[in-house]
Amino acid sequence: MEQLLLLIFLPLAGAVITAFSGKSAKIISTVIAVISLGLALFMACSFIPDASTQFEANLPWISDLGIRFHAGIDGISMLVVLLTNILIPIIILSSYKHDYKNPSAFYALILFMQSGLLLVFTSMDAFLFYIGWEAALIPVYFICAFWGGKDRIRINMKFFVYTIAGSLFMLLGIIYLYLQNPAHNFDINAFYALNLDSYQQGWLFWAFFIAFAIKMPIFPFHTWQPDTYTAAPTQGTMLLSGIMLKMGIYGVIRWLLPIVPQGVHDWANVAIALSIIGIVYASVIAFTQKDAKRLVAYSSIAHVGLISAGIFALNQQGMQGAMVQMLSHGINVVGLFFVLDIIYARLKTNKIEDLGGIAKVAPQLAIVFLIIVLGTVALPGTNGFIGEFLLLMGVYNYGIWAAAIAGLTIIFGAVYMLRMYQNVMLGKTNELTISFTDINGTEKLVLYIICALIIVLGVYPKPLLHLTEASVQHLLEQVNQKLNTVN
Amino acid sequence: MTIEQLIWLVPLLPFLGFVINGLGRNSLSKGLVGVIGSGVILASFIISLFIFFSLNGDAQKSHEVFLFDWISAGKLHIPLSFLVDPLSSIMLLIITGIGFLIHLYSTSYMHDDAGFGKFFSYLNLFVFFMLLLVLGSNYIVMFIGWEGVGLCSYLLIGFWYTNSAYASAAKKAFVMNRIGDLGFLLGVFLMFNFFGSVEFAKIFPQAANMLPGNNTIVLITILLFIGACGKSAQLPLFTWLPDAMAGPTPVSALIHAATMVTAGIYMIARSSVLFDLAPFTQNIIAIIGTATALIAAIIALTQTDIKKVLAYSTVSQLGYMFLGLGVGAYTGSFFHVLTHAFFKALLFLGAGSVIHAMHHEQDMRHMGGLRKKLPVTFLTMMIGTIAIAGLPPFSGFFSKDEILANAYEHNKVLWAIGLFTAFLTAFYMFRMMFLTFSGKYRGTHHAESHIHESPKAMTIPLIILAVLAAIGGAINIPHVFGGNAWLEHWLSPVVAQHELGLDHATEYALMGVSVLAALAATIYAYSKYVKGAHVPVADEAPRSALAKLSYHKFYLDEVYDFLITKPLDALSKFFYRILDSKFIDGIVNGLGWGTNEASKGIRLLQSGNVGFYIFMMVFGIIALLLYTFLYI
Amino acid sequence: MGNLTTQLQGVPLNHYIYLSAIIFTIGVIGVLTRRNAIVIFMSVELMLNAVNLLLTAFSVHSNDPSGQVFVFFIMALAAAEVAVGLSIIVMVYRNTKSIDINVLNRLKW
């Protein structure tokens, strides 16, 4: 329990320290992020991979309303906690070459966000979950609004209003559940135990689903995403795409499926259809994107579509695939955005047609970029394959046509990713790219770590699969059991 | 030392070569890189030989070697494990054996290239993945190799990536392969659902007890065949292979002729139990194979780039192999894989030797009369050409005739087209030989003085391959010639066998007809290109309609561009500019805009006139009172 | 004292209510129709006092003095309010040379 509290509040304390640290904010925030990572790894090592909730903290908080500080970690949470704590140091390190104005505020916000994210990923109290949900949104809003690019205020306004509008539906859902709950508390287990009829579940499904769908984002709730990813500073984009997006997926798994299984059962067809449309739609759009960052943004929609389809297929393979792919996608997309950031920092452009021939002058970057691209297009032996393979198999168990259409992602992904790689890295150098210098220092460190993760997870994913297996199984049993009792 | 103890070394050594060459590509000397790159393959070859012979002397013909659990989720368990059996052991020999020769050749061919170390690391990596492909004991491990070789093919086609046309060819190869890969994956999913496993050892025994005609099996086999179509360049997915000639010539020899492109045939031969249960799929395979063989042969007739001729010839020969698979001649097809690996690798390396001598000139219109200057290359290539033309007693004759005999038994039309294709094959191959080696030299005078025979490292592999191409047929001499059909016997535990139901007289007649056809083609080519000294016209020159169709590859690339690429791009622009930006985002923005507009209207109520506010207040109070009185 | 209470209780409560309502309505109409700030102010006082009257009346009627205590508070508050309000009006007059409230419409939108 102490470990969990430390895990959640260490970044918060770190944020406060960083906020007052002035020029040394980079170093201090890195140290704190690395300590958090160490703590998370330590917890992962002492974690027993069964379905139980471990490191549980259950403290009274606002007793009049039945709100408790109730948090804990099971296999599913452990995975996203690891993802968060692995990516935050990487994201902080990736900013080393930048000289942002007000560094102390910048890094403090990142750490603050980490706390919010960890709260989301561990909380077992709906109220706490909601607080974490919004607490994670606010810092990233400021990061994007203060350090972002062109037109950032308008774009961020839209992003903020859009996501918070989604959250509002979720808040309504939570309040409704609270009122239905005879014990009058927000505890997740009490919510699991509720007996709601299919009509109620249908409404609750949509209340939660819209909030999560906007966050992920799933077609057609995605239009905030490409603009925001393009306008945000790279670290903001990484936070959004690498970790924050997983809040939506995690929300679906933790809150949507077990609480309203009947609603999920009734509406899964729609959810899967939307996800699969999103895969094809976003992939097709990515074909002709001129801005590499926007291209990656659309590719992210496609990948998330597959994850969500795998989850709503409601079977072990799909769910396990979603777990692995959450981690893989986080790593890969952060890598992609980092490479684009490196290019942008040197050449001040991410326009695909302006680039070309960088492989000639920066062979190291060419190799790591290729590995990340291959991870993204799910080549066997990289982390992306494990996830996509299991996800497609999960979708396949739902329906062969669904899998065939969702599987287009492995063709389309290769098309747009290799097209980007070719136009950016291959071909002849031009006046702009001839001066490109190869990666060095922290850039190398970060990219090597990312590539190592891509390959190691691709070749030996067993620990990861083992970590989540029992929890996923338990979750599915829970859902099926509830479905059977209702019918 | 047993097979189990040694087998993991076979793929590991090339992988080590990849790592060492990859890391040391800038620091190691070229000599060292060459020695490491070729040495690991040679070591693998020696181990493979050992494995082959111990398997030969072993009563147990199938060894499964478990390495570690790779993926497991729910009921799905995929171990990383190897299967050594007659089929994979022969493939090991081809891959490492021919692979070694090509590595050796490359040490000289690529010597002046700046990316020497990179080249060898890629080549080693390719061998590693190819070995995984054939060694995998389940479809998923096979799929690792399957996609891995696709990656290496991508890397090596785009080896000279500063040329953006080459980079595009690489991308095209990868994407077209991926189309097939999706089919493969779906087939695997279906198999897992149907058989409850993806292990060969669990699937085939179940399938062996089933009767033909099961719809699921038909679907599985069709999906697997789509996968094979992508990898082995069959209609409609073959256009990547000719473009793949953008890569260095040893790559074309190793990947795009001898090994990778035959992966599809290997996979189908491996799954022959399943394919035997699906006559419908077999018909499709036979038809597509025949069509591919014919179309590619027609295209090859008018090509002027020496490598393009060989590329289309490869596609055509692959079509042959699929025809063989389609008519149930799995062993015959596999036999052709073997002989084709010998003579096509030989021909490509020979072409490489010519290109090397000509300083990267590939257009046959600028060659001619090279026989005197490149005697070894000429002789060895001639052997390869005779082999591919199907003239006895060289290897191609035996394998091709086995396929044709089976096709004859199955369907006379397929046989007739196959025979016609054989005629075309002999013609375009001799056309290529005569254009290159006989007649007068047609290049620039300056280049002529530099032409010389290639160094030993290049000619020795040519000679070895020429010997193999000449005598390779010996491993499966049919019973009709008093042979013992060793290969058929060897593969019988793995690959489904069919007795050829033809009497000896028919078999002799069939052979006679095909030999005659090949001879006729040879004589025609001789009279046209040697006696007539005919040279293909320039690109822009007018051609007859048929020649134009052939020269422009039936406009297939243009058709695909028109049917697939253009519409997808247009769709992409439509989705992005209209649907996404205007419609979906329009709704979102419209909500915001609506709120804004409404507030603009409503704020006018706040007129600043205090009297109006008070009036509204009183009005509101009265309304509330009324509401209270009336409804509560 | 007790006598006075009884006498006062002799007047029917309705009369007080009618009177208060009339005074209150006069106040409301005054506020709504007049433009002079001072008159509006007076009208507001009228409304306030109508309510005071009613409070006292109910207090006496139900024999509960707390209503009357309230009235004292209200009167004190009203005095304070008048002090503040009048000074605002004086300031307005100094600035605009008018106490017409329709001139004061700058605080809008």
Side-chain angles (χ1 to χ4, degrees):
Chain A
M1 171 177 134
E2 289 77 15
Q3 289 174 11
L4 182 69
L5 293 179
L6 191 61
L7 182 78
I8 295 174
F9 290 109
L10 180 70
L12 192 64
V16 175
I17 298 169
T18 311
F20 295 104
S21 61
K23 292 272 173 238
S24 49
K26 260 181 200 173
I27 308 293
I28 290 179
S29 59
T30 314
V31 169
I32 289 160
V34 170
I35 295 173
S36 300
L37 171 61
L39 182 61
L41 287 176
F42 174 74
M43 286 170 76
C45 290
S46 57
F47 181 85
I48 304 146
D50 57 14
S52 64
T53 307
Q54 296 164 36
F55 310 106
E56 201 166 340
N58 196 350
L59 309 167
W61 187 19
I62 307 175
S63 308
D64 289 346
L65 294 172
I67 298 168
R68 298 179 68 83
F69 190 95
H70 187 190
I73 293 182
D74 68 352
I76 300 170
S77 307
M78 194 72 236
L79 183 99
V80 271
V81 165
L82 276 177
L83 170 76
T84 311
N85 282 6
I86 290 172
L87 285 186
I88 293 280
I90 288 180
I91 290 170
I92 291 177
L93 276 175
S94 76
S95 72
Y96 264 47
K97 295 268 160 158
H98 287 280
D99 278 314
Y100 287 116
K101 276 185 288 181
N102 265 329
S104 52
F106 184 78
Y107 295 105
L109 284 170
I110 292 182
L111 290 175
F112 181 60
M113 185 171 172
Q114 186 181 8
S115 261
L117 289 164
L118 291 171
L119 201 57
V120 169
F121 292 146
T122 55
S123 70
M124 301 186 67
D125 184 284
F127 193 81
L128 200 61
F129 176 74
Y130 189 79
I131 287 181
W133 185 269
E134 299 300 3
L137 174 64
I138 292 162
V140 84
Y141 169 76
F142 284 115
I143 290 174
C144 298
F146 285 157
W147 291 276
K150 200 173 116 252
D151 212 8
R152 59 180 187 272
I153 301 298
R154 185 185 68 80
I155 288 168
N156 262 299
M157 188 66 183
K158 181 168 158 186
F159 156 60
F160 192 79
V161 172
Y162 206 151
T163 40
I164 213 143
S167 315
L168 194 64
F169 287 107
M170 182 172 76
L171 185 62
L172 287 177
I174 290 175
I175 291 171
Y176 184 80
L177 285 168
Y178 170 72
L179 296 176
Q180 295 296 310
N181 181 1
H184 283 293
N185 60 32
F186 289 93
D187 198 80
I188 192 166
N189 293 317
F191 284 0
Y192 285 170
L194 288 180
N195 263 322
L196 303 164
D197 62 35
S198 66
Y199 179 75
Q200 290 170 310
Q201 296 208 7
W203 282 103
L204 283 169
F205 171 83
W206 281 104
F208 280 94
F209 179 71
I210 286 178
F212 299 145
I214 290 173
K215 204 67 135 196
M216 286 200 234
I218 290 178
F219 175 90
F221 303 105
H222 64 275
T223 50
W224 61 268
Q225 191 248 37
D227 283 342
T228 312
Y229 281 16
T230 317
T234 302
Q235 281 67 36
T237 314
M238 289 174 176
L239 287 168
L240 283 169
S241 59
I243 318 178
M244 195 154 162
L245 173 167
K246 274 72 189 183
M247 282 165 54
I249 301 168
Y250 177 82
V252 170
I253 296 172
R254 172 72 70 219
W255 295 90
L256 191 60
L257 298 185
I259 293 179
V260 289
Q262 186 64 39
V264 172
H265 182 258
D266 293 346
W267 292 102
N269 290 336
V270 178
I272 289 182
L274 287 179
S275 310
I276 289 175
I277 290 172
I279 295 171
V280 177
Y281 179 81
S283 305
V284 170
I285 288 183
F287 285 167
T288 50
Q289 286 308 307
K290 296 193 165 64
D291 184 303
K293 229 177 159 184
R294 197 172 278 270
L295 190 152
V296 176
Y298 275 108
S299 88
S300 179
I301 298 177
H303 284 108
V304 169
L306 184 58
I307 298 180
S308 122
I311 292 173
F312 283 107
L314 284 181
N315 55 54
Q316 182 95 21
Q317 284 94 25
M319 201 73 87
Q320 283 280 66
M323 292 292 132
V324 181
Q325 189 67 350
M326 271 207 267
L327 193 68
S328 310
H329 175 264
I331 293 165
N332 296 346
V333 86
V334 163
L336 283 175
F337 279 123
F338 187 42
V339 170
L340 296 180
D341 185 47
I342 288 172
I343 292 171
Y344 190 83
R346 286 167 172 61
L347 305 177
K348 300 289 168 236
T349 179
N350 268 341
K351 284 254 178 303
I352 289 174
E353 60 205 25
D354 294 346
L355 302 169
I358 293 178
K360 191 85 193 161
V361 281
Q364 302 241 14
L365 180 67
I367 293 168
V368 289
F369 191 16
L370 184 67
I371 293 176
I372 298 169
V373 163
L374 293 175
T376 314
V377 302
L379 193 90
T382 63
N383 57 2
F385 175 71
I386 315 287
E388 285 204 0
F389 174 74
L390 289 171
L391 281 168
L392 280 175
M393 191 160 218
V395 177
Y396 177 87
N397 289 340
Y398 168 79
I400 183 165
W401 282 110
I405 298 171
L408 289 175
T409 184
I410 70 169
I411 301 171
F412 288 174
V415 175
Y416 58 73
M417 276 294 157
L418 292 183
R419 174 180 159 270
M420 176 178 81
Y421 187 78
Q422 182 190 343
N423 291 341
V424 171
M425 303 306 285
L426 308 181
K428 287 196 173 58
T429 46
N430 56 28
E431 324 65 272
L432 186 67
T433 53
I434 192 82
S435 61
F436 198 92
T437 47
D438 209 344
I439 49 174
N440 50 37
T442 45
E443 294 169 346
K444 248 186 199 172
L445 178 69
V446 169
L447 287 172
Y448 284 177
I449 293 173
I450 288 174
C451 288
L453 285 171
I454 287 175
I455 291 170
V456 168
L457 291 178
V459 175
Y460 198 62
K462 202 180 168 194
L464 206 60
L465 289 165
H466 191 53
L467 182 70
T468 55
E469 189 167 17
S471 298
V472 166
Q473 210 168 348
H474 175 70
L475 182 87
L476 285 171
E477 274 163 16
Q478 204 175 5
V479 170
N480 285 330
Q481 200 182 354
K482 231 176 142 180
L483 271 179
N484 293 335
T485 51
V486 170
N487 291 335
Chain B
M1 297 293 264
T2 61
I3 291 173
E4 278 84 354
Q5 286 165 326
L6 281 174
I7 187 63
W8 56 279
L9 276 173
V10 178
L12 183 72
L13 284 168
F15 185 75
L16 282 179
F18 158 68
V19 172
I20 296 169
N21 281 336
L23 294 178
R25 65 190 183 283
N26 298 325
S27 47
L28 296 179
S29 74
K30 282 187 176 176
L32 198 56
V33 167
V35 168
I36 293 171
S38 319
V40 289
I41 310 293
L42 182 63
S44 279
F45 176 63
I46 292 166
I47 299 171
S48 305
L49 266 180
F50 179 81
I51 287 170
F52 177 77
F53 283 114
S54 25
L55 197 67
N56 200 11
D58 199 345
Q60 186 199 355
K61 289 291 183 208
S62 147
H63 297 259
E64 227 180 290
V65 185
F66 173 84
L67 294 182
F68 60 87
D69 262 328
W70 189 38
I71 303 178
S72 62
K75 280 178 291 177
L76 177 75
H77 293 287
I78 302 169
L80 195 79
S81 54
F82 293 156
L83 175 68
V84 186
D85 65 359
L87 187 59
S88 56
S89 66
I90 286 210
M91 283 304 278
L92 288 187
L93 288 180
I94 300 183
I95 296 161
T96 53
I98 295 184
F100 168 66
L101 293 177
I102 290 171
H103 275 72
L104 182 63
Y105 178 93
S106 307
T107 53
S108 168
Y109 186 82
M110 297 298 288
H111 196 264
D112 300 326
D113 198 279
F116 190 77
K118 192 171 78 169
F119 182 80
F120 271 89
S121 69
Y122 287 170
L123 223 49
N124 283 169
L125 184 67
F126 168 77
V127 174
F128 164 71
F129 276 125
M130 194 67 210
L131 291 170
L132 266 191
L133 194 162
V134 297
L135 277 176
S137 79
N138 57 49
Y139 281 98
I140 306 300
V141 177
M142 189 194 249
F143 191 70
I144 309 179
W146 188 270
E147 287 245 298
V149 290
L151 165 70
C152 296
S153 159
Y154 169 79
L155 292 171
L156 284 163
I157 295 169
F159 185 71
W160 291 308
Y161 56 80
T162 46
N163 183 331
S164 59
Y166 291 5
S168 297
K171 185 181 67 183
K172 183 177 178 184
F174 195 85
V175 169
M176 284 202 143
N177 269 305
R178 274 263 159 145
I179 297 175
D181 293 352
L182 176 59
F184 188 108
L185 261 190
L186 290 175
V188 170
F189 292 155
L190 196 55
M191 242 183 300
F192 175 68
N193 267 25
F194 192 69
F195 295 110
S197 173
V198 290
E199 288 285 321
F200 298 144
K202 298 221 174 81
I203 292 175
F204 299 145
Q206 284 186 55
N209 298 327
M210 295 167 76
L211 289 173
N214 184 316
N215 281 336
T216 317
I217 302 263
V218 171
L219 193 56
I220 289 173
T221 49
I222 285 180
L223 288 168
L224 288 181
F225 173 58
I226 292 174
C229 270
K231 188 95 339 189
S232 296
Q234 294 299 292
L235 272 176
L237 298 176
F238 77 82
T239 56
W240 66 268
L241 185 56
D243 287 10
M245 297 303 133
T249 309
V251 172
S252 310
L254 179 60
I255 302 186
H256 304 119
T259 52
M260 183 185 92
V261 288
T262 57
I265 292 116
Y266 167 78
M267 187 263 285
I268 291 180
R270 171 68 77 200
S271 325
S272 58
V273 183
L274 294 177
F275 282 83
D276 250 7
L277 294 177
F280 177 72
T281 317
Q282 286 193 308
N283 287 335
I284 292 180
I285 294 177
I287 290 165
I288 289 199
T290 317
T292 311
L294 180 65
I295 286 178
I298 291 174
I299 296 175
L301 291 177
T302 53
Q303 296 305 308
T304 52
D305 182 325
I306 185 166
K307 280 181 76 180
K308 283 275 160 74
V309 175
L310 290 173
Y312 281 105
S313 150
T314 307
V315 176
S316 178
Q317 297 302 311
L318 290 167
Y320 256 112
M321 298 171 203
F322 276 91
L323 167 63
L325 295 174
V327 297
Y330 301 109
T331 316
S333 288
F334 192 71
F335 185 27
H336 202 54
V337 168
L338 270 168
T339 56
H340 178 256
F342 297 147
F343 58 68
K344 193 49 72 63
L346 165 63
L347 286 167
F348 264 115
L349 293 185
S353 172
V354 172
I355 294 166
H356 189 71
M358 296 287 295
H359 294 277
H360 297 279
E361 173 62 77
Q362 302 191 6
D363 195 330
M364 293 189 296
R365 285 170 298 198
H366 300 146
M367 296 176 181
L370 298 177
R371 185 159 55 105
K372 292 270 156 48
K373 297 199 166 75
L374 307 170
V376 182
T377 310
F378 168 71
L379 258 174
T380 49
M381 273 185 90
M382 198 41 132
I383 293 171
T385 306
I386 297 173
I388 194 176
L391 292 173
F394 290 6
S395 56
F397 166 75
F398 295 100
S399 53
K400 200 179 263 186
D401 270 310
E402 189 167 342
I403 291 174
L404 282 178
N406 276 284
Y408 180 82
E409 188 194 13
H410 195 80
N411 184 327
K412 306 280 185 295
V413 179
L414 292 178
W415 169 78
I417 299 175
L419 183 68
F420 180 59
T421 310
F423 171 78
L424 295 180
T425 307
F427 175 74
Y428 68 69
M429 285 311 298
F430 278 102
R431 168 180 176 270
M432 182 197 88
M433 287 302 288
F434 294 147
L435 279 177
T436 311
F437 289 104
S438 55
K440 282 206 177 61
Y441 180 71
R442 295 182 293 270
T444 57
H445 212 71
H446 170 72
E448 190 177 6
S449 54
H450 292 288
I451 297 174
H452 55 87
E453 182 58 279
S454 303
K456 284 261 175 346
M458 284 165 74
T459 49
I460 289 172
L462 285 177
I463 293 165
I464 298 174
L465 283 169
V467 171
L468 287 172
I471 62 163
I475 59 169
N476 201 25
I477 295 178
H479 298 297
V480 64
F481 286 139
N484 57 359
W486 174 84
L487 185 69
E488 200 176 315
H489 179 68
W490 173 251
L491 291 178
S492 59
V494 189
V495 175
Q497 303 290 342
H498 298 273
E499 274 309 312
L500 194 57
L502 300 176
D503 55 45
H504 283 190
T506 324
E507 279 196 57
Y508 286 131
L510 289 176
M511 285 175 193
V513 171
S514 55
V515 169
L516 278 181
L519 276 176
T522 314
I523 292 163
Y524 179 53
Y526 184 78
S527 67
K528 186 165 178 188
Y529 293 102
V530 180
K531 290 273 180 255
H534 180 86
V535 178
V537 290
D539 291 348
E540 316 78 40
R543 288 181 162 81
S544 69
L546 206 63
K548 213 167 166 179
L549 212 55
S550 158
Y551 188 72
H552 291 285
K553 305 142 197 171
F554 287 88
Y555 295 96
L556 269 177
D557 277 325
E558 286 79 1
V559 169
Y560 288 166
D561 192 50
F562 181 74
L563 282 184
I564 297 164
T565 319
K566 289 250 164 62
L568 268 181
D569 274 358
L571 193 67
S572 171
K573 289 197 175 107
F574 168 74
F575 276 175
Y576 180 56
R577 300 221 180 105
I578 312 291
L579 201 57
D580 214 44
S581 312
K582 297 281 187 312
F583 183 68
I584 298 176
D585 209 25
I587 292 174
V588 176
N589 288 340
L591 282 173
W593 179 84
T595 316
N596 237 346
E597 289 302 303
S599 76
K600 263 184 207 161
I602 290 169
R603 73 178 181 175
L604 292 179
L605 281 176
Q606 196 154 350
S607 58
N609 188 333
V610 183
F612 181 68
Y613 294 167
I614 298 170
F615 175 73
M616 289 306 288
M617 189 179 89
V618 173
F619 183 80
I621 291 169
I622 292 172
L624 274 178
L625 280 176
L626 279 179
Y627 175 79
T628 321
F629 286 141
L630 291 178
Y631 295 104
I632 295 172
Chain C
M1 241 347 234
N3 201 18
L4 182 65
T5 313
T6 344
Q7 281 181 0
L8 279 173
Q9 280 175 340
V11 181
L13 190 57
N14 272 359
H15 293 200
Y16 290 107
I17 293 175
Y18 290 141
L19 180 62
S20 299
I22 290 166
I23 298 173
F24 189 85
T25 314
I26 291 171
V28 169
I29 291 170
V31 168
L32 286 184
T33 55
R34 305 309 291 257
R35 286 158 52 188
N36 188 315
I38 305 244
V39 177
I40 289 175
F41 214 70
M42 283 156 61
S43 305
V44 170
E45 289 301 313
L46 218 49
M47 286 154 70
L48 217 52
N49 282 327
V51 176
N52 278 348
L53 179 61
L54 208 54
L55 267 171
T56 328
F58 274 108
S59 159
V60 168
H61 191 76
S62 53
N63 248 333
D64 177 7
S66 60
Q68 296 179 46
V69 175
F70 253 113
V71 171
F72 279 112
F73 275 103
I74 294 174
M75 280 161 75
L77 270 178
E81 181 204 321
V82 165
V84 177
L86 277 178
S87 47
I88 290 175
I89 291 173
V90 170
M91 287 309 292
V92 167
Y93 180 75
R94 281 195 194 156
N95 280 304
T96 63
K97 297 289 169 223
S98 159
I99 47 170
D100 186 337
I101 55 160
N102 284 357
V103 178
L104 307 174
N105 62 356
R106 307 275 289 279
L107 197 65
K108 59 181 177 184
W109 302 337

